[in-house]
């Protein structure tokens, strides 16, 4: 990937911000552009966004040696730390941040809480790839998180919105979300690229050989990740370009707790994993898995329950708009941490 897209890699942060500006410009200056993009939707799934996300995740998934995934269970301390920080500490941290910063904006607060109970299972693959983390560990973690999300998302939603909010003096809510709805979202954004990657990896190796796979196929598909990432950013920002310009203070209100969340989760997981013996590649995989969120599920749930024009849906959409630049910065931070803390370690 670096040989084919060296120039793009070198200035990736710049391209990210340019893509954001282009998206906002399209949404704000071109009338009905968001309506046009939303016309390519099926239920709560925006087809262009789904295509962008699937294409973005496909190349990194093809590079995963799935035979090595079970090796993650040889590191019980790392898995235990990941589970506790991602599933216990993380949702509670987002709940606290939402109630502290957005108590006077109950719709945004609710949207943020919904984001917090959905750990990332998609974009983390891209951030981990860019930061040169452990692909196999990442694949194993997102597999576990996907299953836990299907099983426990509804329970988490009930606990935080119905039980926890009243304990903080805020009127409770109740969401009726079925396992089927969650499984559908997980299936689209993770299942499709995962299945394509598995089939293509094994088919190409079997019929064209491992040499062709490593020297021809991987270099050919690798640039798709960054191109699809930039396309996805343009689409996401164009959908809410007008609102971003018209409601800049609301965007900032939602962004502040999100940025705090990303930073705390990333650094906490990074240094906890280093403390218990993780090398750089494992620490990065664990850190991005903990710090990201499944905004696709959060947006789908918010639109399905509260409506597309609700404050909850707006908070959900602002989520990835904040996550993309924040985690791109954390990719660069990861490389700085590698130089500072892993000079004498196996990375």
């Amino acid at each position: 990937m670096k040989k084919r897209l060296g120039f793009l890699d070198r200035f990736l942060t710049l391209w990210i911000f340019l893509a954001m500006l282009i998206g906002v410009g399209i949404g704000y200056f071109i009338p009905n552009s968001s309506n046009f993009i939303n016309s390519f939707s099926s239920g709560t799934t925006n087809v262009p966004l789904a295509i962008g996300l699937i294409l973005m995740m496909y190349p990194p998934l093809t590079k995963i040696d799935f035979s090595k995934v079970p090796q993650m269970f040889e590191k019980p301390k790392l898995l235990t730390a990941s589970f506790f920080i991602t599933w216990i500490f993380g949702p509670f941290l987002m709940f606290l941040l939402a109630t502290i910063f957005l108590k006077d904006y109950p719709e945004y607060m609710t949207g943020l809480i919904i984001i917090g109970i959905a750990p990332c299972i998609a974009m983390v693959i891209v951030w981990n790839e860019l930061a040169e983390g452990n692909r196999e560990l990442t694949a194993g973690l997102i597999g576990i998180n996907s299953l836990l999300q299907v099983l426990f998302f509804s329970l988490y939603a009930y606990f935080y919105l119905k039980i926890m909010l009243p304990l903080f003096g805020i009127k409770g809510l109740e969401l009726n979300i079925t396992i089927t709805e969650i499984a559908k979202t997980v299936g689209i954004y993770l299942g499709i690229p995962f299945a394509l990657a598995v089939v293509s990896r094994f088919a190409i190796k079997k019929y064209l050989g491992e040499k062709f796979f490593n020297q021809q196929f991987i270099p050919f598909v690798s640039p798709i990740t960054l191109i699809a990432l930039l396309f996805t950013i343009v689409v996401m920002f164009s959908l809410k370009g007008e609102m971003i310009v018209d409601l800049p203070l609301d965007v900032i209100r939602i962004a502040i707790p999100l940025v705090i969340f990303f930073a705390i989760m990333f650094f906490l997981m990074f240094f906890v994993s280093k403390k218990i013996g993780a090398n750089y590649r494992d620490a990065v995989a664990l850190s991005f898995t903990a710090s990201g969120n499944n905004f696709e599920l959060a947006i789908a749930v918010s639109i399905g329950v509260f409506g597309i024009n609700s404050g909850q849906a707006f908070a959900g959409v602002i989520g990835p708009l904040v996550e993309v630049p924040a985690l791109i910065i954390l990719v660069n931070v990861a490389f700085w941490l590698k130089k500072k803390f892993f000079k004498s370690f196996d990375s």
Side-chain angles (χ1 to χ4, degrees), residues 146-177:
S146 299
L147 180 61
L148 293 175
Q149 219 157 95
V150 170
L151 296 176
F152 296 116
F153 183 89
S154 298
L155 183 62
Y156 265 55
Y158 178 85
F159 175 73
Y160 278 103
L161 297 176
K162 185 71 174 178
I163 298 174
M164 288 294 287
L165 280 179
L167 293 178
F168 282 70
I170 304 168
K171 184 180 178 182
L173 298 169
E174 187 171 351
L175 296 182
N176 295 313
I177 310 157

Side-chain angles (χ1 to χ4, degrees), residues 239-254:
L239 285 171
K240 293 295 178 181
E242 193 171 353
M243 291 187 74
I244 291 169
V245 175
D246 291 341
L247 299 171
L249 291 179
D250 285 24
V251 173
I252 293 171
R253 287 189 185 99
I254 296 167

